[in-house]
Amino acid sequence: MVTNAPKAFLYEPSSGTILFAKAPDEPFTPGSLVKVMTAATVFDALKANEIRSDQLCKVSEHAWRTGGAPSGRGATMFAAIKSEIAVEDLLKGLLVHNANDAAIVLAECIDGSEEAFAERMTELAHSIGMTNTKLANPTGYAEKPSRTTVRDQARLAQYILDQHPNFYPLFSLPEFTWNGIFQRNKNPLLGEIRDLDGLGAGSDPSDGYSGLASVERNGRRVIAAIAGLTSDKHRLQSLKEVVEGAWEFFTVKKLYSAGETVAQGWVFGGNAGYVPLVPKDDVNVLLARGGTLDYRLRVVYEGPLKAPVANGTPAGELHVIGKNGIVYRAPLVTGGSVDEGTLFSRAVDGLQELLFGWIS
């Protein structure tokens, strides 16, 4: 699988398989793609009952001048200064209109300022594993540029899908009329890639065009993120290549059935020296068609396990390793129990550990 995108990441969330990665951790400035993170932060505040969907938020002069009609800076929901707008309408303005004023009003309504809200965004990003992301504002304005990576954007998409499935349909809402103003969804990816139902796109004068897409087709969902493209046309073309590659180049392969022995784990001080390590569920991984020789398997566990060992004890992970590192992780548990051994067997184990150590 190849793409002209300088940065690309393709992920299959149900199995946790990384299908493709190209410069996945190289940072870029996302522009208005930041608004996906803005939305996720608002979703979290709603879920935590910090705000209500029918709560009214006041349009400050700052929000009006910086993100509204007077700003002349692109997308707006034309919110009037000092007016009050419900959170649910602001969210629709944010995700359908791509409205900058909606982003600022939401930030001020929740945290009092864009700066405080940006700190909250960054904290959320880091808490969900977006370790290479720092958010500077809720709009994506370049005066204080945010930084992220395509891997982190895929993590964000999965977080929204997992934690906020009730809000996810907002990303594909086709249109929204507010205050008598009708606007169609401004996400340039919607309707251009078959079965795409989110999430967003952005651009930056220095780092180019970026996109974050989620597509569900034939019972399989994939998440794709790209960045560094030279135009909106090239972004769409590259994103199509990456997304379609999930169906063209990959197929599901069962590596192990639930309960099947993957490896033996050493046991210290037990009436047996080993215990099977098994997956709790079937290990189904999307792998390149005909390219299984390009992958390696590795079992990682903290050993030796100390007796007594109960059946079903979490004991490590199975890693599937491709050209770009680990592409899949499956948790392993013990597939049997080991009772504590006799005093003599424990003494022998202790002597072996002292003289030779343990290899895990």
Side-chain angles (χ1 to χ4, degrees), residues 90 179 205 298 318:
L90 288 166
N179 201 24
R298 180 174 64 193
L318 170 67

Side-chain angles (χ1 to χ4, degrees), residues 66-330:
T66 308
S71 70
R73 303 188 67 171
T76 174
M77 62 187 296
F78 300 100
I81 187 171
K82 297 182 180 180
S83 64
E84 294 185 327
I85 308 172
V87 169
E88 59 184 343
D89 289 332
L90 288 166
L91 271 173
K92 291 176 182 176
L94 176 75
L95 297 177
V96 178
H97 294 188
N98 196 31
N100 295 310
D101 49 359
I104 298 172
V105 172
L106 284 165
E108 293 179 334
C109 190
I110 293 172
D111 281 320
S113 70
E114 288 189 78
E115 293 75 16
F117 186 79
E119 290 181 5
R120 178 192 289 246
M121 293 168 71
T122 299
E123 289 174 3
L124 173 59
H126 291 174
S127 74
I128 63 178
M130 299 172 65
T131 55
N132 294 312
T133 292
K134 182 173 176 55
L135 289 312
N137 56 57
T139 56
Y141 284 168
E143 290 90 329
K144 294 182 179 180
S146 298
R147 301 291 279 173
T148 189
T149 67
V150 288
R151 187 195 302 271
D152 280 2
Q153 287 299 297
R155 285 182 175 134
L156 173 58
Q158 182 174 20
Y159 178 76
I160 293 173
L161 286 161
D162 289 345
Q163 299 299 319
H164 301 293
N166 54 322
F167 291 119
Y168 183 71
L170 289 174
F171 288 97
S172 57
L173 197 66
E175 58 194 38
F176 176 52
T177 299
W178 180 81
N179 201 24
I181 301 171
F182 170 84
Q183 294 192 51
R184 295 192 181 279
N185 196 307
K186 286 186 169 61
N187 182 349
L189 308 176
L190 282 174
E192 298 294 335
I193 298 176
R194 184 163 62 94
D195 301 315
L196 181 144
D197 53 16
L199 294 152
S203 64
D204 175 77
S206 299
D207 286 350
Y209 289 75
S210 56
L212 176 61
S214 182
V215 175
E216 186 173 29
R217 187 182 303 166
N218 302 326
R220 179 192 300 171
R221 180 175 289 280
V222 297
I223 296 168
I226 61 170
L229 283 305
T230 57
S231 69
D232 55 351
K233 181 180 179 180
H234 289 154
R235 173 179 58 198
L236 179 59
Q237 180 183 0
S238 295
L239 198 54
K240 281 183 177 179
E241 289 174 350
V242 172
V243 167
E244 296 300 333
W247 283 271
E248 185 176 353
F249 297 108
F250 294 89
T251 186
V252 176
K253 295 185 182 293
K254 179 187 284 189
L255 301 184
Y256 293 96
S257 298
E260 183 179 352
T261 298
V262 174
Q264 298 285 344
W266 285 23
V267 178
F268 175 85
N271 62 355
Y274 299 91
V275 66
L277 302 183
V278 304
K280 291 180 64 176
D281 304 305
D282 291 347
V283 179
N284 296 314
V285 187
L286 274 170
L287 298 179
R289 297 179 187 275
T292 53
L293 294 179
D294 294 332
Y295 298 91
R296 295 180 292 113
L297 301 181
R298 180 174 64 193
V299 172
V300 178
Y301 77 101
E302 290 291 333
L305 305 170
K306 186 176 179 180
V309 178
N311 186 35
T313 301
E317 285 187 331
L318 170 67
H319 292 175
V320 180
I321 304 170
K323 294 179 180 178
N324 297 301
I326 298 171
V327 300
Y328 178 84
R329 301 170 187 262

Side-chain angles (χ1 to χ4, degrees), residues 10-27:
L10 180 63
Y11 182 70
E12 202 273 327
S14 67
S15 69
T17 309
I18 299 170
L19 304 181
F20 181 79
K22 183 179 180 182
D25 301 312
E26 187 176 310

Side-chain angles (χ1 to χ4, degrees), residues 33-51:
L33 185 58
V34 159
K35 293 188 176 91
V36 177
M37 188 74 222
T38 301
T41 308
V42 177
F43 298 160
D44 264 23
L46 285 164
K47 190 174 184 177
N49 295 318
E50 292 185 58
I51 55 173

